[in-house]
Amino acid sequence: MLTEILSCIVEQHDLRLVVMAGVICCLTTYTAFSLAMRAFNTSAFPARNWIISAAMTMGSGVWATHF
């Protein structure tokens, strides 16, 4: 099973794009969690804006890694 997955990545995909997708995924995850932590550290009303920003960031990162 693992060899099939690795074979698929190596033979059917451009490794540069796979690495770029991984970097995008890591950066957007870090950014989304940073924004979410700001929401939890804020006791005022705009906390909802931080959560919305985190959700939009994570959704954009997932979308970007699929292309």
Side-chain angles (χ1 to χ4, degrees):
M1 176 86 171
L2 181 61
T3 57
E4 292 176 14
I5 294 171
L6 292 175
S7 174
C8 176
I9 290 173
V10 171
E11 295 173 4
Q12 297 178 5
H13 293 85
D14 186 359
L15 289 178
R16 294 173 294 179
L17 294 177
V18 172
V19 170
M20 186 172 70
V23 169
I24 290 171
C25 181
C26 289
L27 289 175
T28 56
T29 301
Y30 174 77
T31 304
F33 280 125
S34 295
L35 291 170
M37 289 306 296
R38 286 182 186 251
F40 290 119
N41 292 333
T42 302
S43 61
F45 176 72
R48 183 187 323 164
N49 294 337
W50 290 115
I51 293 172
I52 291 170
S53 298
M56 296 283 290
T57 301
M58 192 58 127
S60 299
V62 169
W63 176 82
T65 58
H66 282 87
F67 296 102

